[in-house]
Amino acid sequence: FKVMDVLRRANQLETEGRTIYHCEVGQPETGAPALVAQAAISALNGSPDESRMGYTDAFGLMPLRENISKYYAAKYAGVPVDRIGAERIVITTGSSGGFLLAFTACFDAGDVIAIASSGYPCYRNILQALGCQLANVPVSKEFKLTAVELREEIQRRKEDGQPSLKGLILSSPSNPTGAMLSP
């Protein structure tokens, strides 16, 4: 994943005394909020009964999943509760773990997946590792992959006798362009 190569080189130059302005990864500019930092200290220093150290339920801590479920129920009133219940929520250690779960649930090896030509590199890496084929769809002048570009890709594939698309990865706001789709 190219950004990690860039980060490694930037760090190397920094240790050599060069002034580096890090724009390669989305690092937070501030530390953890005080309440979060204190909770982490308590978890690390607490007794085994108080500590959250060690293995948890594979889907994440139930109280956290229940609170997320309540949040979504309040935010998206009208969505059936069984669609956003805690039993349907999985906690991952980061977005890549979530992408891996979602992609393996949606796609099979050999599936052709459309992705914006300027899309997040991690999507490509995970999909390729899963044996999916990528259809890199050019974005519009506004850096968006819209129905227009998708129709053109479908038509081009049909005319060239290429396999049809089985899926589409589309994010809004788009990483890295920041382009947002309209509802």
Side-chain angles (χ1 to χ4, degrees), residues 53-174:
M53 299 303 296
Y55 288 103
T56 64
D57 182 308
F59 293 143
L61 298 172
M62 185 52 82
L64 175 59
R65 293 166 49 209
E66 289 168 344
N67 282 332
I68 292 170
S69 176
K70 289 175 189 171
Y71 171 81
Y72 277 109
K75 183 168 178 74
Y76 301 105
V79 174
V81 176
D82 65 322
R83 299 293 306 257
I84 53 175
E87 69 282 352
R88 295 179 59 99
I89 295 171
V90 176
I91 307 300
T92 65
T93 57
S95 61
S96 294
F99 297 148
L100 183 59
L101 290 174
F103 296 169
T104 54
C106 294
F107 309 125
D108 293 317
D111 285 353
V112 181
I113 312 303
I115 187 166
S117 59
S118 62
Y120 183 43
C122 189
Y123 299 153
R124 283 183 179 74
N125 295 341
I126 292 173
L127 289 166
Q128 287 175 323
L130 295 173
C132 295
Q133 297 175 33
L134 300 180
N136 288 300
V137 182
V139 294
S140 70
K141 291 178 183 172
E142 293 82 32
F143 303 104
K144 298 178 182 181
L145 194 166
T146 67
V148 171
E149 291 78 30
L150 193 55
R151 273 192 221 102
E152 289 173 358
E153 177 65 18
I154 290 168
Q155 185 61 38
R156 186 187 66 73
R157 296 183 78 75
K158 190 180 287 185
E159 290 170 3
D160 293 348
Q162 294 182 313
S164 59
L165 301 175
K166 295 284 181 98
L168 166 67
I169 302 298
L170 189 62
S171 61
S172 181
S174 175

Side-chain angles (χ1 to χ4, degrees), residues 42-53:
S42 296
L44 292 169
N45 291 331
S47 69
D49 293 341
E50 298 169 334
S51 175
R52 291 288 184 187
M53 299 303 296

